[in-house]
Amino acid sequence: MAKKVYVGLSGGVDSSVTAALLKEQGYDVTGVYMKNWSQDLPGFECPWKEDYQDAKRVAVQLGISFKMYDFEKEYRKEVVDYMIAEYKAGNTPNPDIMCNQEVKFKLFLNTALSDGADMIATGHYAKLSNGKMYMADNLDKDQTYFLYRVTEDALKKSLMPLGEFKTKDEVRAIAKKLGLVTADKKDSQGICFVGKVGIREFLEQYVEAKTGKIIDQNGLTMGQHDGAIFYTIGQRHGLDVGGGLPYYVSGKNMKKNEIHVTTNLDDKNLWRRQLKLTSIHIINDKKIFNTLTLNKLSVRTRYRAPLISCNFDLKTGVVDLKDEIRAVTAGQSAVFYLDGQCLGGGIIV
RNA sequence: UGGGGCGUGGCCAAGUGGAAAGGCACCAGUUUUUGGUACUGGUAUUCGCAGGUUCGAAUCCUGCCGCCCCAG
């Protein structure tokens, strides 16, 4: 009997093609739309209805069963509340990493399993094998960075067939060939499920704007901002300070509600050669960090950023980098790779 | 109120007689399943104000206003 796979259909091309491929491979496929967010925001209409419609139409086109899971409450608690709390603490969180950890590969997985599924599948660009995760063949699209906090057990029950594709064009070609309504749909951006809203517009729903000082590298007050919480390290735009050279955020003081800026691209506050991690999550056997292969270990501190050679001390959480990295930001994640395998990572303090 | 300097779009700043560079900011777009970065494009009929000289001035002259520095 065919294995039952529940595919997370977001209403985009990637998940559509994922479902199509699995069906073709003989799986008993059910498409599931996760309703995680439906609230409109100022100047931005939440696309959930449209996405839901597209997901359903794809399911109909493919002739697979379809259902919707409503995880709004949980998404709000695990992802949105986490995000707000982190911002309030002066950090810059990555909500999509949390979404994968808590919603897609925990809540969705467990719900699907108890619903009769044997496995789940998603349209992520990553390769899975026996609970191990490897970078996608399409290095431009590789999404392992967002998946490093998923557990080995969850990965063992997941499929990500798009990891084998070298280009996005091939994926779209399949969608076109099958005449799927999502074939030409633009790739989604912004916070997963919430959409392309400015982070500032989003946060303003939950925190009050408070005027504070913008101070440059010489200690001079350059102007005012509406809340240090809205800014992140390395940020250039949105400060409304002009005059000669661009200013980049080099630091912030949440207590004083001040943000520090610099025009010096080499400012030492913008470059780090060492990181300290917390909430470390290693996907498979931690012993791998004790082996001699460590000189091949590399890390990235941002999606799609080049890999940087490094050393990592699992006990202390300290990462020593071979090259300096710009605008390393507390709350963001550092993810380790060894020969194309994603080992896990941690959150930068 | 002796001497000197300055006043060009929100900011910095070229241009000193031929019909307003550039940068920052801002806006739009591209890239991107976080934030951010980067890239492309857009933005002054007008040069503190008022007169004058000139075929023609932001550029020369006069007056006024404002600011800065030195001196007293």
Side-chain angles (χ1 to χ4, degrees):
Chain A
M1 191 159 161
K3 274 202 171 184
K4 294 188 73 156
V5 179
Y6 277 37
V7 179
L9 285 182
S10 66
V13 228
D14 291 335
S15 56
S16 303
V17 172
T18 298
L21 291 169
L22 294 173
K23 194 201 168 198
E24 199 176 281
Q25 287 167 23
Y27 288 97
D28 175 359
V29 179
T30 296
V32 181
Y33 179 81
M34 278 175 253
K35 186 187 174 201
N36 293 336
W37 186 262
S38 61
Q39 187 187 326
D40 291 335
L41 293 163
F44 180 81
E45 199 180 331
C46 178
W48 89 271
K49 277 183 187 164
E50 193 186 318
D51 289 340
Y52 169 81
Q53 292 295 344
D54 286 340
K56 183 154 189 176
R57 289 165 78 187
V58 166
V60 170
Q61 287 186 294
L62 293 174
I64 61 177
S65 15
F66 178 78
K67 53 174 65 182
M68 180 173 93
Y69 286 165
D70 188 332
F71 294 147
E72 283 208 77
K73 257 176 67 185
E74 294 88 345
Y75 185 84
R76 167 70 206 235
K77 178 167 174 283
E78 300 293 346
V79 181
V80 176
D81 286 352
Y82 155 79
M83 186 170 110
I84 295 166
E86 280 291 288
Y87 269 109
K88 280 185 177 167
N91 297 327
T92 304
N94 188 325
D96 290 347
I97 286 174
M98 194 51 68
C99 175
N100 285 327
Q101 175 187 315
E102 293 297 327
V103 179
K104 290 177 186 162
F105 295 92
K106 188 178 285 179
L107 189 58
F108 170 55
L109 173 63
N110 292 335
T111 307
L113 292 179
S114 64
D115 238 3
D118 297 308
M119 301 189 87
I120 60 166
T122 62
H124 284 107
Y125 286 79
K127 295 203 289 188
L128 303 179
S129 169
N130 296 322
K132 290 180 177 160
M133 181 162 64
Y134 300 87
M135 287 197 275
D137 286 345
N138 183 348
L139 290 177
D140 283 332
K141 278 282 174 187
D142 171 57
Q143 290 169 330
T144 50
Y145 180 79
F146 291 102
L147 296 166
Y148 83 94
R149 300 192 74 81
V150 177
T151 64
E152 180 171 16
D153 284 345
L155 292 177
K156 280 180 175 165
K157 294 193 168 66
S158 303
L159 296 169
M160 299 180 186
L162 297 192
E164 317 284 334
F165 285 77
K166 290 228 164 34
T167 68
K168 178 95 183 192
D169 287 344
E170 296 173 57
V171 175
R172 284 199 183 275
I174 290 174
K176 239 170 228 170
K177 196 171 132 202
L178 296 173
L180 300 180
V181 293
T182 51
D184 292 314
K185 198 166 168 183
K186 197 181 178 314
D187 289 6
S188 66
Q189 289 171 13
I191 303 166
C192 200
F193 296 109
V194 176
K196 197 178 166 62
V197 209
I199 192 66
R200 175 179 180 138
E201 286 68 36
F202 188 81
L203 284 175
E204 275 177 341
Q205 303 299 303
Y206 307 99
V207 300
E208 267 188 51
K210 259 195 320 200
T211 304
K213 286 181 182 172
I214 300 173
I215 298 167
D216 78 357
Q217 67 264 49
N218 301 314
L220 299 172
T221 299
M222 301 302 296
Q224 307 223 304
H225 65 259
D226 297 321
I229 191 171
F230 300 123
Y231 299 88
T232 192
I233 309 303
Q235 180 171 349
R236 167 176 174 173
H237 297 287
L239 294 161
D240 208 17
V241 267
L245 295 167
Y247 286 85
Y248 294 89
V249 175
S250 59
K252 51 186 195 173
N253 182 330
M254 292 305 284
K255 209 161 184 189
K256 291 184 172 174
N257 193 29
E258 288 174 352
I259 75 173
H260 297 103
V261 296
T262 181
T263 54
N264 180 6
L265 295 174
D266 298 322
D267 194 299
K268 61 177 168 51
N269 293 313
L270 282 176
W271 296 90
R272 296 259 295 266
R273 207 173 196 106
Q274 188 178 74
L275 317 173
K276 179 124 164 58
L277 305 184
T278 182
S279 298
I280 293 164
H281 177 254
I282 303 305
I283 299 172
N284 310 113
D285 193 344
K286 291 187 172 67
K287 287 197 187 103
I288 195 161
F289 284 99
N290 299 326
T291 68
L292 291 174
T293 52
L294 274 187
N295 53 11
K296 285 154 78 183
L297 185 70
S298 55
V299 68
R300 66 167 41 121
T301 56
R302 151 186 295 120
Y303 177 52
R304 287 167 58 85
L307 292 170
I308 304 290
S309 293
C310 70
N311 282 308
F312 176 51
D313 184 335
L314 190 55
K315 283 208 173 62
T316 60
V318 172
V319 184
D320 286 300
L321 304 159
K322 192 179 168 210
D323 300 313
E324 286 189 311
I325 300 183
R326 184 180 180 278
V328 169
T329 309
Q332 292 282 294
S333 286
V335 179
F336 297 108
Y337 295 86
L338 184 65
D339 287 331
Q341 184 183 354
C342 178
L343 303 178
I347 292 175
I348 299 161
V349 290

